[in-house]
Amino acid sequence: MSIVLDQVTKRYQGTPVVNDVSLNVRQGEFLVLLGPSGSGKSTLLRAIAGLTEIDHGRVALHGRDVTHVNSRERHVGFVFQHYALFRHMTIGENIEFALRVRKVKSAERRARRKELLKLVALEGMDDRLPAQLSGGQQQRVAVARALAHRPEVLLMDEPFGALDAKIREELRRTIRQIQRELDMTTILVTHDQEEAFALADRIGVMHQGRLLECGKPDDLYTRPATRFVSTFLGAANLLLGYRTPRGVRFSSTPMAGGEVPREVVAILRPEEVELCADELAVRSNFVSHGQVEEVLFGGAVERLRVRMASDGPVPVAPGRDGTTGQGSLLEVSRTLPEQRNFPVAVGQRVAVGARSIHVLPTPISSFTAVAADEAAARELRDSPLLSTLGARMQTRVATRIGRFERAPPGMPAIATGPACAAAAEWHLTHGAVQLLCVPPTAPLPNHVVIHTLDAESRRATLAVAASLLRHVAAEAIYLGIPPETSAESERGAHMRNLLDARSAALADHGLDMRTELRPGVVAEELQKELAAYERSMLVLGTSKPDAIQWDWLKSLLEGMPERPVLIVNSARTEPAADA
Amino acid sequence: MAASWFRQPSILPGFGLTLGFTTFFLSALVLLPLAALVFKTTALTWSEFLDVVLDERALASYRLSFGAAFIAAAVNAFFGFIVAWSLVRYEFPGRRLVDALIDLPFALPTAVSGIALATVFSPTGWLGVRLQELFGIQVAYTWLGVVVALILIGLPFVVRSVQPALVEAQRDLEEAAETLGASPFTVFRRIILPAVLPALVTGFTMAFARGVGEYGSVVFISGNLPLKTEITPLLIVIKLEQFDYNGAAALGFMMLLVSFLMLFAINLVQSWSRRRHIGPADTGRRVERRARPRNQKAGA
């Protein structure tokens, strides 16, 4: 491994800007760190170069731990966005700088300079000053300068950011060629996904300080695991669907009869949408009817927006035009042959099919605030926890008022209070897979207590907890609570269970949590732990909701201060699979 | 369009008006009095003039005035740089207070600073006693006192001219040098110093020019011994008090001449070094800045 990052964390004034990032880069690999501005990608790159000290974690370059080595001795080449050429030195002097400070003989320096100028196609420019060169040429010089001392890795921080499109493309090709030629391990930081696709062997997507996903460009594009990556890499329609025996079904109205459908988050790429004159002509899976609302011709592809019928698919996140009662807007892009086969005009009614969809493996699809009246539902929806989760997860928070036959799909949310336990019982026995009890005024938690009532529910509970913790900055503790009177052997099993949970959380979800064994009465221990922190929250897992002593739950909820409680019912949680 | 041959195209209106004001104020406040000075000098014959300006007492005063101003400006260039550096690069409690203190010599009546310095550095003064005891150095009433006064007066010039240059100096240049393997000293010598050198020279020049002309603060600490601690401005005042207006004008003319030549020389060196170090980059940036508003107009 050429570059190894192990749980690298960097904080500015207490807030992590790089949060627990682990990453391996192979020798000769070209990795592109992609993310919006402020996602921490530049900070991470600077941490690798030693220009920024990290607060936690380790950095190793070619097997050498350089966490505490200064950038002078890390032996990296670094290319800055604004070239950072020494203006008072000639191009030749700039390139020789690294060799000069290493006291390399002048004949050798000259030879290396010549070699490098040839590499970046700037022969004969030795005596020019940087200001006499164009931006693209200056960046070439910067690359040559960064390579002069034969570094082990090349790090580039938005190297094309200040250049115009044409030069950018040309320089991109040059960089890729040089990188291949020298077999140089390279990390490039950019916010431009096109650039990432053009250069990368592997793309790492960063968001809010975390490395969300890292993989081959086409894998990330076709099989993203998170909402953010699916929308950040290319365009995507994020839709709420229901898993049925015959595949995923998109509709705003749940099927009649049967149990609560399992809600999933699916992405439908604009280029995977098929438009036809009527339902029978659709060769792929029919989704719904719609009306063409906008047509933009953009050269090789045509971009359209189709307003779906009001009983059609529901977007995961309410868009700008998230007016209720009206159908959602679907982004569609079509190639020239498709356009020729079926030309459409604004206002035309079309049948929409999906050639391929990808179901995100996220355990939390959407929220529904359930209350007796409108005001209470709104208060619940606007509670700090629920509104923040909805916004950060880019997901819908619906409301439901009154009594229904079945629990709503996704995660119902109810207010804590005297009726809370009864409502929880009703939801969990009427098909809810998850349930959130929220005190309407509770702040965002910073201490999340996880406990599972049985070993079977561990997997699903950890998945939900990890998803939650990715969007809420909090520390997690997993409590194992064996009975006080339990035998030594039982405690051993419990301990193993805990450690398994911990390694599973880290391996499957990248979730780092503490584990603790606390012999005692479950309700009492949980209440004690939750009361010890001002902003705590409980995540409770069970695989047998029918076996729960509802009186016990009632006493648990009533016997502790007002804290959010998330109950995961794993009985109905099947592992997510692609449809 | 007879007058437009030297006119740069510019979108800013009022070129004629502003140039008119510039010429008027320069003439009324700078050129006219200086011309009067030169004119006054012509009342003397050549031999009288030479007698005045080459008088032993006058020559000694030149040496002190220019020598002390030069030493003080050099000291200021060094320490002023350090002060500016620490103000720009470090966060420390009271930084803003120190920043404000720098300007105090500007605001204080020079006589006040002179008296204050004299009190502190006099042989019975708080610092003077200790310097005398420990090192056998007497500051007040020697040429050293003149230098100390001029350092105090000149410090803000260096700090205030170096400060913006340091703020502007790109941190990524230093980081680039660091990743290329340069030691902190090399980074300073090869990267930072060349970047702030023009500003430093400017600061030095201004401190020097101010030092040559300084009167108020110096007279209280120098002792004013003829041939030893007498600065040229003081000599001029003495001549005025004796109603020797022509002699005063002659000395003033000499100061004017020497100051002008020295400032001119420094300016030459500076523009040469700018061409060498910053190169067309500097001009390029200026062109760019001027071009931008025009482009905006074209786009509108």
Side-chain angles (χ1 to χ4, degrees), chain B residues 277-295:
Chain B
H277 284 306
I278 313 300
D282 202 28
T283 52
R285 215 181 305 153
R286 225 176 287 146
V287 167
E288 200 176 52
R289 211 170 282 160
R290 207 190 298 139
R292 210 167 293 141
R294 235 188 305 162
N295 291 346

Side-chain angles (χ1 to χ4, degrees), chain B residues 59-283:
Chain B
L59 288 177
S61 78
Y62 301 153
R63 264 199 302 278
L64 181 64
S65 267
F66 288 102
F70 190 86
I71 296 174
V75 171
N76 271 333
F78 182 75
F79 288 106
F81 181 85
I82 295 178
V83 171
W85 178 266
S86 52
L87 282 178
V88 172
R89 286 302 170 88
Y90 304 112
E91 277 291 337
F92 53 88
R95 193 179 64 106
R96 295 199 167 268
L97 191 69
V98 175
D99 203 26
L101 278 179
I102 301 289
D103 285 330
L104 221 50
F106 274 150
L108 219 55
T110 48
V112 176
S113 25
I115 294 167
L117 282 176
T119 320
V120 172
F121 282 105
S122 77
T124 53
W126 186 78
L127 255 176
V129 173
R130 282 158 182 82
L131 284 173
Q132 185 78 55
E133 274 174 8
L134 295 173
F135 307 104
I137 300 172
Q138 193 189 334
V139 175
Y141 317 128
T142 66
W143 66 273
L144 213 56
V146 180
V147 173
V148 168
L150 295 185
I151 290 176
L152 173 77
I153 294 303
L155 183 71
F157 290 95
V158 175
V159 176
R160 288 298 177 233
S161 47
V162 172
Q163 228 175 350
L166 274 177
V167 170
E168 219 177 83
Q170 291 170 12
R171 287 302 283 271
D172 58 355
L173 290 184
E174 292 162 39
E175 291 177 342
E178 204 185 322
T179 57
L180 292 168
S183 63
F185 179 70
T186 311
V187 173
F188 178 78
R189 190 172 62 87
R190 305 273 317 260
I191 310 299
I192 298 171
L193 204 53
V196 297
L197 198 62
L200 196 59
V201 173
T202 304
F204 172 86
T205 311
M206 289 201 297
F208 173 74
R210 178 69 205 265
V212 170
E214 178 59 23
Y215 172 79
S217 61
V218 176
V219 289
F220 291 98
I221 197 176
S222 66
N224 307 328
L225 292 172
L227 297 175
K228 287 209 177 92
T229 60
E230 191 176 53
I231 55 169
T232 314
L234 179 68
L235 205 57
I236 294 174
V237 171
I238 289 172
K239 289 234 187 282
L240 285 178
E241 279 169 352
Q242 295 161 349
F243 303 107
D244 181 5
Y245 294 131
N246 293 337
L251 282 178
F253 177 72
M254 279 309 285
M255 284 201 79
L256 187 66
L257 192 71
V258 178
S259 297
F260 181 75
L261 287 178
M262 290 187 77
L263 291 178
F264 190 65
I266 291 175
N267 258 316
L268 277 185
V269 171
Q270 209 180 346
S271 73
W272 170 82
S273 85
R274 190 181 299 144
R275 223 171 307 143
R276 170 71 192 86
H277 284 306
I278 313 300
D282 202 28
T283 52

Side-chain angles (χ1 to χ4, degrees), chain A residues 83-405:
Chain A
Y83 328 133
L85 292 181
F86 308 133
R87 311 191 76 97
H88 59 284
M89 296 184 199
T90 64
I91 302 309
E93 287 168 337
N94 262 287
I95 293 177
E96 284 183 27
F97 186 84
L99 304 176
R100 196 181 278 270
V101 299
R102 285 176 173 73
K103 307 215 160 41
V104 174
K105 286 201 188 69
S106 97
E108 203 177 315
R109 283 205 313 253
R110 252 199 311 276
R112 181 81 180 132
R113 174 216 288 191
K114 222 176 145 198
E115 188 184 329
L116 285 164
L117 280 173
K118 186 155 177 265
L119 190 70
V120 296
L122 285 175
E123 290 121 310
M125 296 281 197
D126 307 56
D127 296 326
R128 303 271 187 99
L129 285 166
Q132 291 168 303
L133 268 53
S134 71
Q137 287 173 322
Q138 289 193 43
Q139 196 58 293
R140 281 165 194 269
V141 175
V143 171
R145 184 182 67 179
L147 292 171
H149 53 299
R150 300 181 196 281
E152 287 162 349
V153 298
L154 182 61
L155 307 171
M156 295 194 263
D157 189 4
E158 306 238 10
F160 315 125
L163 301 172
D164 55 55
K166 192 118 191 184
I167 297 170
R168 196 182 282 219
E169 202 161 313
E170 184 188 315
L171 196 56
R172 209 186 275 168
R173 217 168 293 139
T174 315
I175 298 274
R176 188 67 172 129
Q177 201 180 331
I178 292 173
Q179 189 266 339
R180 289 240 172 88
E181 206 168 300
L182 303 178
D183 192 31
M184 178 73 71
T185 310
T186 303
I187 298 184
L188 182 142
V189 159
T190 183
H191 61 267
D192 181 349
Q193 46 149 320
E194 196 189 322
E195 201 165 289
F197 280 127
L199 288 167
D201 292 324
R202 211 149 52 103
I203 296 176
V205 181
M206 288 196 70
H207 183 49
Q208 292 175 344
R210 287 183 188 273
L211 183 64
L212 286 187
E213 287 179 60
C214 192
K216 289 200 184 113
D218 57 331
D219 280 350
L220 280 193
Y221 186 75
T222 53
R223 284 185 293 281
T226 57
R227 285 169 233 250
F228 180 79
V229 172
S230 61
T231 47
F232 192 70
L233 277 184
N237 297 296
L238 275 179
L239 303 172
L240 285 178
Y242 305 108
R243 199 185 282 289
T244 68
R246 286 174 298 142
V248 174
R249 181 173 167 272
F250 298 103
S251 173
S252 60
T253 48
M255 290 158 293
E259 49 181 18
V260 180
R262 178 99 175 94
E263 194 177 62
V264 293
V265 177
I267 62 169
L268 175 58
R269 295 279 180 199
E271 65 271 19
E272 301 286 8
V273 177
E274 188 187 5
L275 296 186
C276 293
D278 58 64
E279 193 175 339
L280 293 175
V282 176
R283 269 171 299 175
S284 55
N285 294 317
F286 174 72
V287 175
S288 172
H289 287 285
Q291 195 171 26
V292 178
E293 194 160 286
E294 192 183 307
V295 181
L296 286 173
F297 180 72
V301 289
E302 180 192 44
R303 295 180 191 289
L304 307 98
R305 301 179 104 189
V306 176
R307 174 76 65 187
M308 303 307 292
S310 55
D311 63 345
V314 178
V316 170
R320 281 178 303 249
D321 53 346
T323 40
T324 47
Q326 216 178 358
S328 59
L329 267 182
L330 201 66
E331 304 267 352
V332 183
S333 66
R334 302 201 301 167
T335 61
L336 281 171
E338 283 177 276
Q339 293 170 45
R340 274 196 298 271
N341 282 342
F342 179 56
V344 295
V346 174
Q348 189 172 337
R349 192 178 141 82
V350 291
V352 176
R355 296 195 187 92
S356 150
I357 58 159
H358 167 69
V359 174
L360 296 182
T362 164
I364 301 176
S365 52
S366 72
F367 300 94
T368 305
V370 182
D373 59 73
E374 185 84 42
R378 205 173 315 117
E379 186 192 25
L380 198 57
R381 196 182 58 192
D382 294 341
S383 68
L385 180 63
L386 207 52
S387 61
T388 308
L389 279 180
R392 292 200 185 152
M393 292 179 143
Q394 299 176 8
T395 197
R396 192 181 56 152
V397 184
T399 50
R400 183 193 258 199
I401 295 141
R403 287 212 152 263
F404 284 79
E405 269 175 35

Side-chain angles (χ1 to χ4, degrees), chain A residues 66-85:
Chain A
V66 295
T67 313
H68 302 293
V69 173
N70 63 34
S71 69
R72 238 172 305 145
E73 281 135 30
R74 288 206 185 181
H75 219 65
V76 300
F78 201 101
V79 177
F80 294 81
Q81 179 176 6
H82 296 290
Y83 328 133
L85 292 181

